[in-house]
Amino acid sequence: MSIIAQYGDVFIILACVFGFFMAWGVGANDVANAMGTSVGSKAITIKQAILIAVVFEFLGAWLAGGQVTETIRKGIIDPTLLTNDPHLLVYGMLASLLAAGLWLLIASAKGWPVSTTHSIVGAIVGFAIAGLGVDSVGWTKVTQIAASWIVSPLLAGTIGFVLFRSVQVLIFENSDPFAAAKRYVPGYIFLVGFIIAMVTMVKGLKHVGLDLGFLQSLMLSAVIGVVIMVLGILLENRIGRGKKETGDSFNFSGVERVFGVLMMFTACAMAFAHGSNDVANAVGPLAAVVSVVQTHGEIGGSAALPWWILVLGGGGIVVGLVTYGHRVIATVGTGITELTPSRGFAATLAAATTVVLASGTGLPISTTHTLVGAVLGVGLARGMAALNLRVLGTIVMSWLITLPAGAGLSILFFFTFKGMFGS
């Protein structure tokens, strides 16, 4: 107890600095999930993507990031194991934030889209092994999270493949693709509105008093889908066939402009849902440190989130995106396969659908793995030659080393803090 009383202010300052660093990493790396497809398909420019993400990621983190968070992400270790040694939880959370933030910095510099959730999970596993022993880790939970490496991309890839094939058959293989786009795109607009509303409600708004059941969310999302469809039809009616471009005998450019309208909406809504969901990776451990210090060593399963912590997390995400986000956006948007607005739409919608299915069934997934899988599925719909297998190999390698890298760095930092402040 005396350690917490003696160094309480220092712990809170360090937690704020490392929490901001971790949130910076979320912005620099994970925001590509929300923006990569829109930029890669040229539906929006990188500047527009940054502007949209700055506004909607921050709003998602601040308004819907949650008033209460788990002290230890994903229930990997039982917080009661640390009741007699609260200072070890403080060291562990500081080490986890610094380790995950550092790994995200390395990955972002290389342009690797890695999972921020897996980074913090790996870091917490490392601290648990170092501070409490191997038996303290809930290995069943860790195995479930590791299984998402296969489940997320496979599910999203399948949905992405089916969606883009439907676009190809219904629109691009039609004798008049532009007329077919006008006819079928309202149905896709409804799907986008419905799915993105579900992502936002199921993942994003459960903490702001809007605690709807899955069926209620389903019905409300259907209504929102209809409203968005009507708006989409009004916008779509303003798009003409345009001038035929050289080699564009079927007027595909007009079709892509119709899909471009969809991408603007998916970019905004996915950024909001992402900000609300993934800010917890940065502010959860920070809230745990603040809670332990303020209660003089009491440890619970969850911690209250003061408003300023969510602002700090949202601010970190925004700074990370503006300063470094372009590298990972380039990998997801252009590195895996060539994207157009119709392909980008199919990938984003497939990723969003996977997030909703996972939320409804309790399946542990990673948004990063989901989006990469969806882009992969869309690329496969055009044949293996459309994929950049070298980039894919690098991405899979970075996924495999995320958990052990987070764990190794966390063990190193845990012992460093233990040595600095005394055991």
Side-chain angles (χ1 to χ4, degrees):
M1 293 295 177
S2 58
I3 292 174
I4 287 174
Q6 193 179 350
Y7 297 110
D9 291 342
V10 177
F11 290 148
I12 289 180
I13 291 165
L14 285 176
C16 288
V17 172
F18 297 160
F20 186 85
F21 180 44
M22 172 65 187
W24 177 93
V26 171
N29 200 290
D30 232 22
V31 175
N33 298 331
M35 293 293 129
T37 47
S38 305
V39 175
S41 63
K42 296 183 176 64
I44 57 177
T45 65
I46 190 100
K47 284 183 181 173
Q48 287 170 327
I50 287 171
L51 199 64
I52 287 170
V54 163
V55 175
F56 287 93
E57 288 274 345
F58 186 80
L59 284 176
W62 189 35
L63 297 176
Q67 276 72 53
V68 174
T69 186
E70 300 163 283
T71 50
I72 294 169
R73 293 290 289 150
K74 308 291 179 191
I76 295 152
I77 55 173
D78 182 357
T80 54
L81 293 171
L82 293 150
T83 307
N84 298 324
D85 300 298
H87 56 283
L88 292 184
L89 177 65
V90 173
Y91 300 157
M93 292 297 102
L94 291 175
S96 298
L97 284 171
L98 187 54
L102 187 59
W103 171 244
L104 289 172
L105 169 64
I106 294 164
S108 302
K110 299 277 187 187
W112 297 339
V114 298
S115 168
T116 52
T117 306
H118 288 190
S119 303
I120 198 74
V121 162
I124 290 170
V125 167
F127 132 65
I129 292 169
L132 299 165
V134 177
D135 296 338
S136 66
V137 179
W139 291 108
T140 323
K141 278 273 185 190
V142 177
T143 309
Q144 281 178 347
I145 291 162
S148 72
W149 289 340
I150 300 163
V151 176
S152 305
L154 203 62
L155 187 57
T158 306
I159 297 169
F161 181 88
V162 170
L163 259 175
F164 189 63
R165 278 300 296 145
S166 75
V167 171
Q168 283 178 315
V169 171
L170 293 173
I171 297 171
F172 288 110
E173 291 171 12
N174 194 288
S175 57
D176 186 351
F178 187 74
K182 289 274 193 177
R183 190 162 58 248
Y184 292 114
V185 163
Y188 289 121
I189 293 176
F190 168 77
L191 263 180
V192 169
F194 172 73
I195 291 293
I196 300 289
M198 278 297 284
V199 170
T200 306
M201 280 176 207
V202 176
K203 296 291 268 188
L205 297 181
K206 58 188 174 184
H207 298 302
V208 286
L210 196 68
D211 195 16
L212 301 175
F214 197 73
L215 274 174
Q216 289 171 302
S217 299
L218 211 66
M219 289 164 70
L220 190 55
S221 297
V223 173
I224 292 170
V226 171
V227 173
I228 296 295
M229 182 173 74
V230 172
L231 280 172
I233 291 169
L234 292 173
L235 280 171
E236 189 191 276
N237 288 339
R238 294 164 61 186
I239 297 173
R241 285 179 179 265
K243 292 176 184 174
K244 284 194 178 183
E245 293 176 11
T246 315
D248 185 19
S249 54
F250 293 105
N251 199 231
F252 287 157
S253 63
V255 176
E256 292 295 358
R257 278 205 302 283
V258 175
F259 277 104
V261 171
L262 275 175
M263 291 302 294
M264 289 294 284
F265 176 68
T266 53
C268 297
M270 280 301 281
F272 181 87
H274 177 267
S276 64
N277 185 41
D278 278 32
V279 72
N281 289 330
V283 300
L286 166 56
V289 174
V290 172
S291 174
V292 170
V293 172
Q294 287 179 345
T295 58
H296 308 292
E298 277 181 42
I299 291 176
S302 60
L305 273 180
W307 65 270
W308 61 267
I309 286 186
L310 282 172
V311 171
L312 186 89
I317 286 175
V318 166
V319 174
L321 171 69
V322 172
T323 54
Y324 237 51
H326 60 93
R327 290 171 185 258
V328 179
I329 285 177
T331 303
V332 174
T334 57
I336 301 169
T337 189
E338 189 189 342
L339 289 176
T340 59
S342 57
R343 295 169 201 157
F345 147 77
T348 310
L349 187 56
T353 307
T354 308
V355 171
V356 170
L357 287 172
S359 299
T361 55
L363 205 70
I365 61 153
S366 152
T367 43
T368 303
H369 298 185
T370 303
L371 200 103
V372 170
V375 172
L376 184 62
V378 169
L380 272 175
R382 296 163 53 231
M384 280 296 282
L387 297 173
N388 186 331
L389 297 177
R390 189 181 58 79
V391 170
L392 271 173
T394 308
I395 289 172
V396 171
M397 182 269 301
S398 69
W399 287 357
L400 292 173
I401 59 176
T402 292
L403 266 173
L409 288 167
S410 183
I411 290 169
L412 178 71
F413 294 137
F414 176 76
F415 284 119
T416 304
F417 291 129
K418 206 174 171 188
M420 279 167 65
F421 296 106
S423 58

